[in-house]
Amino acid sequence: MKSTDKDEKKDEKKQENKEEEVKKEPPTPLAEIKSNFVLIDRAVSTLEPRFTHRVLRTLTTLVKRLDETIIRNAIEEAYPKESTTKSTLVSWLPTTSEDVEMQVDSAPTSATTAKPAAPVTPEPVPEVDIYLRLLIINQLLKSTEGVSKAKELSVETVKKMQALNRRSLDSIAAKVWFAVERAFELAGDISEARPMFLAAQRTAALRHDDDTQASLINRLLRSYLAYSLYDQADKLVSKTTFPVSAGNPQYARYHYYLGRIKTVQLNYSDAHTNLQQAIRRAPPATVAPGFYQAVHKLFVVVELLMGDIPDRSIFRHPVLEKPLKGYFEIVKAVRTGSLSQFQQTVLKHAALFQADKTHTLITRLRQNVIKTGIRRLSLSYSLISLKDICVKLHLDSEEDAEYIVGKSIRDGVIDGRLVHEKGWMACGGAGGVKRGYGADVAETFSRRIGYCLELHNQSVKAMRYPLNAHRKELADAEGAREREKELAKEIQEGDLDDEDLGGEF
């Protein structure tokens, strides 16, 4: 009996484990799209945008698993047979051999048996139509042949959204604008979409549509930076206010674009702060490796321009190790102060730096390399001739060496003096090193404290509280007030004696 009971328990456990495995399996793309339709309908009926946000949260992973057949089946099941919206959506999908066979199979036959009429499917809300258009645009962008078609569909979708003018479309519209920009960018004419973005951004600002406004500001900044229009991008940042309620992905892009603008304007400290915020708010490296790599490439260059050496752990990250190989060689050249090694590395990886749009910034590092070399020489020699400095740093002439040494002394990089009559550089020893070290430490601590304060402020803003939690406190306060009134009334009427009041009152 005991053995049979144990066997039954084992079988029950196996059955439960199987059921749990079945539950853990992700739903099929078609089932997920259907459940998204239900959530969108609930968001429209209850005026709760959080249901739409739940739908859009899985958009990236859903698009990777889609194909034309799945989208067509979703449209067929969502719309009635004679719907004009259905025929319009299906017309944007490329036809395959399977679809032709399905049309032939579903053609009417000469049978005289009348089948009972199927129940008429109600027309979904317009938000479902825009959501399906968004899926079709992303599906068309997967192939080079569908880019032109995706561009046409995106323009038509924008016109339809503006004609509908429904506030329940705001969250989906933000994603649609991203798809519009992607379609125009792949088509090679992103500047054509800029007037459309500007008009939509003004409208979103007037309607206080934070999601769409944040998305459009990033679209415009990307459009300006793609053509190196840094002045116009800076004017856009100064004339607009980025919504505080925007999500982390939008904030990460915004801080990255701000970092690029500030770097070109030689404002390296602000650029460093913006890039730190972009890294902190960015999705995980495995989810968005391209953005993660782009931010860190610029972050490494900005740290070098600030006179710091990036942490070596950055270059050991599995997502960053190969893409940052050229930048790691630049860091080694700057750290050792070898001008010849720096120039060779720049020539070797020139194509990579130009593709990343960091070549101009890296050429600015030449002065940093020379300053590092001069600092190393000042620590090694108490007296060195300008001719030897030219040889060791691979400079062109003694006049260049004299100018660079004089500028380094004036900027406080080294503690020394120039002897013009004999062509020497006399170094002051460890005193300048101590003063420079103290200044570096103070600046580093100030930067870290500022970062921690900013992180604290952002954490406080991101805090969430239970809904209507204050009502319980109000109810408790009302009850306590009523008890105090009753106690005071009983005291006035003389119903309480000394014992009830707790002895001597």
Side-chain angles (χ1 to χ4, degrees):
M1 291 293 289
K2 291 182 180 179
S3 60
T4 54
D5 293 340
K6 289 182 180 179
D7 293 338
E8 289 178 0
K9 289 181 180 179
K10 288 182 180 179
D11 294 338
E12 289 177 0
K13 287 182 179 180
K14 288 181 181 179
Q15 187 66 23
E16 289 176 0
N17 292 334
K18 287 181 181 179
E19 291 177 358
E20 289 179 359
E21 289 177 0
V22 171
K23 289 179 182 178
K24 288 180 182 179
E25 289 182 1
T28 60
L30 182 59
E32 189 171 347
I33 293 175
K34 288 181 183 178
S35 63
N36 289 342
F37 291 164
V38 176
L39 290 173
I40 292 173
D41 193 8
R42 191 186 303 174
V44 175
S45 59
T46 60
L47 301 178
E48 282 285 351
R50 59 191 178 92
F51 295 115
T52 308
H53 291 157
R54 193 189 303 176
V55 171
L56 298 176
R57 205 176 298 140
T58 60
L59 179 65
T60 306
T61 54
L62 177 61
V63 168
K64 294 177 182 178
R65 301 160 58 199
L66 287 180
D67 56 24
E68 290 84 358
T69 307
I70 295 173
I71 299 177
R72 183 176 283 103
N73 292 337
I75 297 171
E76 293 283 349
E77 296 185 17
Y79 287 89
K81 191 173 182 180
E82 302 300 330
S83 173
T84 55
T85 307
K86 171 186 171 182
S87 57
T88 305
L89 291 173
V90 172
S91 65
W92 289 104
L93 290 170
T95 55
T96 59
S97 58
E98 295 181 2
D99 300 327
V100 175
E101 291 177 2
M102 289 175 64
Q103 292 176 4
V104 171
D105 294 338
S106 60
T109 57
S110 58
T112 57
T113 56
K115 294 182 179 179
V120 179
T121 306
E123 189 85 11
V125 292
E127 286 75 8
V128 172
D129 177 22
I130 303 299
Y131 176 68
L132 284 169
R133 286 171 176 265
L134 177 61
L135 295 181
I136 295 172
I137 293 172
N138 283 296
Q139 181 61 31
L140 292 173
L141 290 176
K142 290 181 180 179
S143 61
T144 54
E145 296 82 6
V147 172
S148 58
K149 207 171 183 180
K151 180 182 172 183
E152 295 175 12
L153 177 57
S154 62
V155 174
E156 184 181 312
T157 304
V158 168
K159 292 179 180 177
K160 186 162 187 176
M161 285 193 310
Q162 293 172 346
L164 289 171
N165 193 19
R166 292 163 65 97
R167 300 284 65 77
S168 53
L169 272 173
D170 290 346
S171 301
I172 303 176
K175 293 289 184 181
V176 171
W177 283 114
F178 178 81
V180 171
E181 182 222 15
R182 187 63 180 158
F184 274 85
E185 186 177 8
L186 292 177
D189 45 10
I190 190 174
S191 59
E192 291 183 9
R194 202 178 297 152
M196 187 165 52
F197 292 157
L198 287 168
Q201 194 274 332
R202 288 193 295 268
T203 305
L206 292 173
R207 292 174 178 169
H208 300 283
D209 180 5
D210 292 345
D211 292 338
T212 305
Q213 191 179 355
S215 178
L216 286 167
I217 289 174
N218 284 331
R219 305 287 77 77
L220 287 166
L221 288 176
R222 183 178 177 87
S223 173
Y224 287 135
L225 296 181
Y227 292 93
S228 300
L229 301 174
Y230 291 97
D231 291 337
Q232 295 187 27
D234 187 45
K235 289 179 182 177
L236 175 67
V237 171
S238 62
K239 298 293 183 183
T240 57
T241 303
F242 197 79
V244 181
S245 61
N248 276 338
Q250 297 295 346
Y251 253 118
R253 292 189 186 97
Y254 183 68
H255 281 297
Y256 169 63
Y257 297 142
L258 279 184
R260 287 184 60 182
I261 295 169
K262 299 296 183 183
T263 304
V264 172
Q265 294 174 343
L266 307 179
N267 194 351
Y268 300 131
S269 58
D270 289 349
H272 187 269
T273 303
N274 288 125
L275 292 172
Q276 272 187 331
Q277 291 292 326
I279 292 171
R280 187 171 68 84
R281 291 177 176 270
T286 54
V287 176
F291 181 79
Y292 197 75
Q293 293 165 6
V295 176
H296 275 87
K297 286 176 181 177
L298 187 59
F299 182 74
V300 167
V301 176
V302 169
E303 281 209 326
L304 290 174
L305 289 169
M306 291 176 65
D308 299 332
I309 301 298
D311 191 1
R312 194 182 183 91
S313 62
I314 295 176
F315 304 98
R316 293 174 179 170
H317 196 283
V319 178
L320 302 175
E321 188 174 2
K322 289 183 179 179
L324 294 185
K325 186 177 180 181
Y327 294 87
F328 182 55
E329 294 181 9
I330 289 288
V331 170
K332 289 192 292 185
V334 173
R335 186 174 178 273
T336 56
S338 174
L339 189 61
S340 59
Q341 183 183 353
F342 173 77
Q343 292 173 343
Q344 290 174 3
T345 306
V346 171
L347 291 174
K348 180 181 177 182
H349 301 283
L352 172 65
F353 298 147
Q354 288 172 358
D356 296 336
K357 295 186 176 180
T358 56
H359 188 270
T360 306
L361 300 176
I362 289 174
T363 54
R364 297 180 187 175
L365 290 171
R366 184 176 183 274
Q367 295 297 325
N368 294 50
V369 176
I370 295 173
K371 286 181 180 179
T372 304
I374 290 176
R375 188 187 296 115
R376 292 171 67 90
L377 292 176
S378 67
L379 296 175
S380 303
Y381 299 92
S382 59
L383 195 67
I384 185 172
S385 65
L386 296 178
K387 185 177 181 181
D388 291 338
I389 293 176
C390 290
V391 173
K392 291 182 180 297
L393 297 182
H394 303 280
L395 299 178
D396 297 331
S397 62
E398 292 186 17
E399 288 78 8
D400 291 345
E402 184 177 1
Y403 168 75
I404 292 169
V405 170
K407 190 173 186 304
S408 300
I409 294 172
R410 188 188 64 183
D411 294 344
V413 177
I414 59 175
D415 183 21
R417 59 188 179 87
L418 276 172
V419 183
H420 297 280
E421 298 80 9
K422 298 182 179 181
W424 289 346
M425 180 185 75
C427 305
V433 177
K434 286 182 180 178
R435 287 197 293 274
Y437 179 77
D440 290 344
V441 170
E443 184 181 352
T444 303
F445 271 114
S446 176
R447 189 165 63 246
R448 289 177 181 175
I449 291 169
Y451 173 74
C452 291
L453 290 174
E454 179 65 21
L455 181 62
H456 173 265
N457 293 336
Q458 294 295 336
S459 302
V460 171
K461 290 179 182 179
M463 291 177 69
R464 296 292 180 268
Y465 301 95
L467 189 64
N468 299 327
H470 64 286
R471 294 184 180 179
K472 295 180 181 179
E473 298 178 0
L474 292 176
D476 295 341
E478 288 290 336
R481 199 175 294 114
E482 291 294 333
R483 288 193 297 272
E484 289 177 1
K485 288 181 180 179
E486 292 177 1
L487 181 61
K489 186 177 180 181
E490 290 177 358
I491 291 173
Q492 289 177 357
E493 294 176 354
D495 294 340
L496 296 178
D497 53 10
D498 294 341
E499 293 181 359
D500 294 330
L501 292 173
E504 294 181 0
F505 185 63

